[in-house]
Amino acid sequence: MADKEPQQPEELPIVLVHRLPSFKIPSDPSFRDQLRSQFHMLDPHESPEPYDSFLARHAPFIRVLMTIGPSPISAEFLERLPVLELIVATSAGLNHIDLPACWRRGIVVTNASLAFAEDVADCAVGLLIDVLRRISAADRFVRGRLWPVKENYPLGFKLDGKRVGIVGLGSIGSEVAKRLLAFGCTIAYTSRNKKQSVSFPFYANVRDLAANSDVLVLCCALTKETYHMINKDVMVALGKDGVIINVGRGSLINEKELVQCLVGGEMGGAGLDVYENEPNVPKELFGLDNVVLSPHCAVMTPESFEALEQLIVVNLKAFFSNKPLVSVVSNE
């Protein structure tokens, strides 16, 4: 009897890794091993071949791209990938991706908002409590040994009963709403479209939302339409006691006008995790006790990154198995 020919191993499905040279695939070795055991991960920056020729040689076979961090994806770049069907983004914000170009091509995009939503919402609520109750300022007051000298620390403000306007009621905004309802806040929102599944009052524009809120929490994506959507007009509508919390993107706010309103006492305070020109923060904010600053770290927990890794694998496996994807970015 003739010997059977050895069975060839099945080829792994191809995934292009799109990243800036300074960005790496998340460093957890078990995650990298999991990816490489199930998918053929093509990383041009790990090849000695020039980037352009590497991409041109593999482009006819690339149906899926995994983008690391804020690596730009332009319409011109997409033209180089004629059979691309799916982009798996590892960030919640997508202002680095030309979404209209993706949708014109029928390319599906998923993001990390589902993985990051709970921890970003926790951060947003933490910033709000800190601003209202002056916790960070109180910490500086005690460490600066001012308590024995000044004795009385300024009053803070109650969270219960505050009217909170959420800008962007997606995965993150919905988690913010859930948490603040438990604190006794009332919730309203603005979004691209009114959501039939929620009963919160809807405002078609952010100025009207601000005029009917004590607090604005920014959770939406940065697009051409949302760039500088929070301007002086909106801040004045929010009022002298109004508070802005931003866990979205820095350029949602006209930062120069925000500084002017805060320094001039036209607003009650702000809690900021993101800025227009990171890592540079306006120096005028450093001396304001009604402003709480954090270094774009709302997602920075091990739980968030573990959830992101699971989400990436789930979506890659789902795509190649013709199963439904999760955390899909809507084009509505």
Side-chain angles (χ1 to χ4, degrees):
M1 181 181 294
D3 293 337
K4 290 184 179 180
E5 291 185 8
Q7 192 170 12
Q8 295 297 318
E10 187 176 346
E11 289 188 11
L12 297 175
I14 293 171
V15 176
L16 176 68
V17 178
H18 179 63
R19 64 182 177 88
L20 299 171
S22 57
F23 282 77
K24 307 291 184 184
I25 292 178
S27 59
D28 179 4
S30 63
F31 174 61
R32 291 201 309 271
D33 292 345
Q34 186 179 14
L35 284 178
R36 287 168 178 163
S37 68
Q38 298 182 68
F39 311 102
H40 183 187
M41 306 299 294
L42 288 176
D43 188 341
H45 293 294
E46 291 183 351
S47 170
E49 185 177 354
Y51 184 94
D52 288 342
S53 63
F54 181 96
L55 193 63
R57 184 163 59 87
H58 291 285
F61 312 103
I62 295 170
R63 298 169 60 208
V64 179
L65 177 153
M66 182 175 78
T67 180
I68 308 298
S71 308
I73 298 179
S74 64
E76 292 75 20
F77 179 78
L78 291 172
E79 289 175 0
R80 303 174 70 179
L81 300 171
V83 299
L84 187 68
E85 298 176 43
L86 172 66
I87 294 174
V88 176
T90 60
S91 60
L94 298 170
N95 50 297
H96 56 292
I97 299 175
D98 189 333
L99 291 175
C102 292
W103 294 328
R104 286 194 297 270
R105 282 265 306 272
I107 297 169
V108 178
V109 180
T110 66
N111 72 350
S113 62
L114 199 62
F116 292 162
E118 292 183 350
D119 289 335
V120 174
D122 287 349
C123 182
V125 173
L127 287 170
L128 177 56
I129 293 173
D130 197 335
V131 172
L132 292 176
R133 297 306 306 269
R134 306 178 187 272
I135 295 170
S136 291
D139 179 80
R140 292 191 294 271
F141 183 83
V142 173
R143 292 176 189 270
R145 302 179 183 179
L146 297 176
W147 194 4
V149 179
K150 294 191 176 182
E151 295 186 2
N152 293 323
Y153 186 73
L155 294 174
F157 298 91
K158 188 175 185 177
L159 178 56
D160 180 30
K162 289 289 184 288
R163 300 171 302 160
V164 178
I166 296 178
V167 182
L169 198 68
S171 302
I172 294 169
S174 297
E175 290 293 335
V176 171
K178 182 169 71 175
R179 284 154 175 74
L180 290 177
L181 283 172
F183 279 99
C185 298
T186 59
I187 304 296
Y189 74 101
T190 187
S191 202
R192 280 179 295 182
N193 299 295
K194 184 175 182 179
K195 298 183 180 295
Q196 302 302 322
S197 58
V198 300
S199 58
F200 304 135
F202 169 76
Y203 290 87
N205 64 75
V206 71
R207 189 196 178 282
D208 289 347
L209 178 66
N212 290 277
S213 300
D214 304 307
V215 176
L216 288 182
V217 181
L218 312 185
C219 307
C220 65
L222 177 61
T223 65
K224 291 179 181 178
E225 293 72 29
T226 62
Y227 176 80
H228 280 190
M229 70 187 305
I230 308 300
N231 54 26
K232 186 169 183 178
D233 189 39
V234 172
M235 298 172 206
V236 170
L238 186 60
K240 291 191 69 171
D241 295 324
V243 172
I244 291 176
I245 304 298
N246 192 4
V247 291
R249 284 291 184 266
S251 293
L252 295 172
I253 301 177
N254 184 319
E255 200 165 75
K256 182 180 292 186
E257 294 182 353
L258 175 68
V259 169
Q260 290 172 351
C261 286
L262 288 166
V263 172
E266 297 178 73
M267 279 180 53
L272 308 173
D273 183 56
V274 288
Y275 311 89
E276 279 210 69
N277 185 28
E278 297 176 1
N280 302 304
V281 178
K283 62 181 184 301
E284 296 91 339
L285 300 179
F286 295 157
L288 299 179
D289 280 346
N290 59 340
V291 176
V292 179
L293 308 171
S294 63
H296 200 152
C297 63
V299 305
M300 299 296 186
T301 70
E303 293 87 354
S304 270
F305 291 122
E306 182 179 347
L308 171 61
E309 292 170 359
Q310 293 173 357
L311 181 62
I312 291 169
V313 172
V314 163
N315 271 331
L316 292 177
K317 291 174 70 174
F319 175 83
F320 290 113
S321 304
N322 293 316
K323 293 181 179 178
L325 300 167
V326 293
S327 202
V328 175
V329 179
S330 171
N331 63 353
E332 295 180 355

